[in-house]
Amino acid sequence: MEDVTKESKPEKFDVIIIGAGPVGLMTANMLGSLGIKVLMLEKLDKLIDYPRGVGIDDESIRTIQAIDLEQKAMRHITPFHWARFYNSKRKLLASIEPRQTTFGWSRRNAFHQPLVDKILHEGLSRYENVTLKFSSRVETYLQDNEGVMVTGSTRDGELFSYQAKYLVGSDGGASEVRSNMNVTFDGSTAPDPFLVVDIEDDPIGTPNLEFICDPRFPYVSIALPHGVRRLEFKVEKDQIVNDIDVTDEFMTTCLNKIKPSLNHSNILRRRVYRHNARLVSDFREKRFILAGDAAHLMPVWQGQGYNSGLRDANNLAWKLAMVVKGVSSDKLLDSYSEERRQNSKEMIDISVLTGKLFSPSNRFLAVLRDVVFGLSKLIPAAHKYITTMKWKPIPKFTKGILVTAPKKEKHSPVGTIFFQPDVKDEQGNIKKLDNIIGLNFAIIAWGSDPSIHFDDETRDIVKKIGAKILTVVPEEQRESALEIKSKSDSDSEYIFDHTYAVNEWFDWTYGSVVVIRPDRFVAGITQPSEFPELMKALAKKLALVKV
Ligand SMILES: Cc1cc2nc3c(=O)[nH]c(=O)nc-3n(C[C@H](O)[C@H](O)[C@H](O)COP(=O)(O)OP(=O)(O)OC[C@H]3O[C@@H](n4cnc5c(N)ncnc54)[C@H](O)[C@@H]3O)c2cc1C
């Protein structure tokens, strides 16, 4: 590829990531831990620290767990953070309080995006193979069959150019990477802007999130960690100044409507936002790949922009690493858009719907909403559906990197996210399952070591993809299991099901050996004797390169 700056030869990387927002940072951490040489370029001189994400879900915390930063991140997270919808008379319409912890974490949590982003940033210092350059604005983007090249300039006016095999555009909603791709970004922008205000020394104090669905004055009030209160108000266009702020008079009016004693003195930050609902037509064009807001924008009402972005990173990083390392062909990357686009669309749709429920376009719709919520309380199944967040579109793939179940199996877990129980390791320590698996494929078998059934080709595939083999037995059988292990040369580790949750999971499925992808999706399940067939089919899906 020609060097457009005509200067010395550009430095080469495996992957260039544009944008050090949470999605770029997560992708860099994952690629870093997988041994990929990464360059991140960020145009600002530091991470964005204005008020943004406040809701983080269980899937995202699990993704942060995959890069071993969950304990640090949890310092800025409030778990079990319920959301309540009230009407204009302060009557409770619906309370969203999903108490299940299927993926190992609380489903609804409040967080401080800038503080968690900072932890993702600090996490990069663990990897010598990851370089992050601030104040580096990328201006041109080129790709050909061999690789990609970017050029740009630093804040001091220095020109730079870099090459890589792939480029990840996690450069936000106004993505220039996207503009350099042959894709569309269709959707809409809501007519009414919203003002977001963060107040310190929380003057309201209630621990959860409240949607006050008053058609005359809709607002959101959210308790955040570290005693911060987030308020969001609908803004009249003539109250906006400098595109992102409001007049002080308007600010005072809003605060006084909530509580006459509220004043400006404790305001940490305030900013006006517009709500977009947009989705890119394809997340990838050859060597350019989009992730996060660059690929999808959604209104904040379900708090899913950040979470969807981390889902992208979690889906993309391991695939990109396999391709860059030459384990899989480039074809593996086709599954990224295939797997991520549908769920992103569902998240956009549910976010738009929530906005309509919160702030309907007319009074009739507001009354209708109140009636529907009221009736739902009378129907237990409907009530449970709402309160336990059954409506949240948790990703489930029907196509992509998976080996689908035989048609007769009605309740196949293939394509769903594997649950995360606590288990005991060989030393007797209680651990969350993912902490034993690491950022790897896992073959988890109930009862007995599955590797007994491996043929040479299966062994070869397992080695190529670096899968961990885990045999699960009840805690009661610890002694005999470890004795069997001591006499065998198998690579399987034992884990012990002291809560009987793994037993329960396998009890409901048709197989006893399950293959989990590094992003924790179930790639396939079968019985031990048929495991070689499953792995051969999966190897094809993974586009493994034959040596
Ligand atoms: C008010 C508000 C509330 C929100 N609440 C939630 C919530 O509760 N939960 C949730 O999940 N999400 C929420 N979101 C959405 C969430 O903040 C975003 O989805 C998330 O920050 C997107 O991350 P990203 O990494 O994709 O992009 P960004 O964070 O926008 O990062 C993109 C980065 O790319 C850099 N960049 C751009 N162009 C270039 C270039 N040419 N060269 C170099 N660098 C470049 C930018 O400077 C920026 O740092 C909220 C958003 C807002 C505004």
Side-chain angles (χ1 to χ4, degrees), residues 59 311 340 343 346-347 393-397 415-417 521:
E59 293 173 63
R311 282 186 199 101
R340 283 297 309 132
N343 182 252
E346 289 164 1
M347 285 300 178
I394 297 176
K396 179 174 182 352
F397 308 142
T416 64
I417 304 173
F521 278 81

Side-chain angles (χ1 to χ4, degrees), residues 211-232:
F211 286 100
I212 311 300
C213 310
D214 180 348
R216 286 157 307 178
F217 181 60
Y219 71 92
V220 188
S221 171
I222 312 169
L224 299 187
H226 310 309
V228 174
R229 170 72 36 178
R230 161 74 54 94
L231 297 170
E232 300 182 13

Side-chain angles (χ1 to χ4, degrees), residues 251-300:
M251 188 73 260
T252 307
T253 312
C254 290
L255 294 177
N256 285 348
K257 274 189 185 167
I258 295 180
K259 229 177 200 290
S261 58
L262 287 183
N263 59 45
H264 293 233
S265 61
N266 291 358
I267 290 181
L268 287 170
R269 326 165 184 98
R270 68 189 203 205
R271 199 176 163 100
V272 171
Y273 292 97
R274 283 157 189 83
H275 290 242
N276 292 289
R278 292 180 188 277
L279 179 63
V280 76
S281 54
D282 201 322
F283 282 46
R284 169 176 173 235
E285 190 195 8
K286 297 175 191 157
R287 289 172 183 274
F288 287 177
I289 305 169
L290 297 173
D293 277 13
H296 39 67
L297 284 172
M298 53 198 80
V300 299

Side-chain angles (χ1 to χ4, degrees), residues 18-24 41-44 48 51-56 111 113 136-139 141 170-173 176 196 230 232 273 291-294 300 303-308:
I18 314 291
V23 179
L41 297 168
E42 167 56 55
K43 68 179 175 188
L44 303 176
I48 293 176
R52 294 202 293 173
V54 289
I56 186 165
F111 83 129
Q113 179 175 342
S136 301
R137 193 189 190 300
V138 179
E139 282 143 12
Y141 308 79
S170 50
D171 50 343
E176 286 178 6
V196 173
R230 161 74 54 94
E232 300 182 13
Y273 292 97
D293 277 13
V300 299
Q304 279 299 325
Y306 183 102
N307 294 303
S308 295

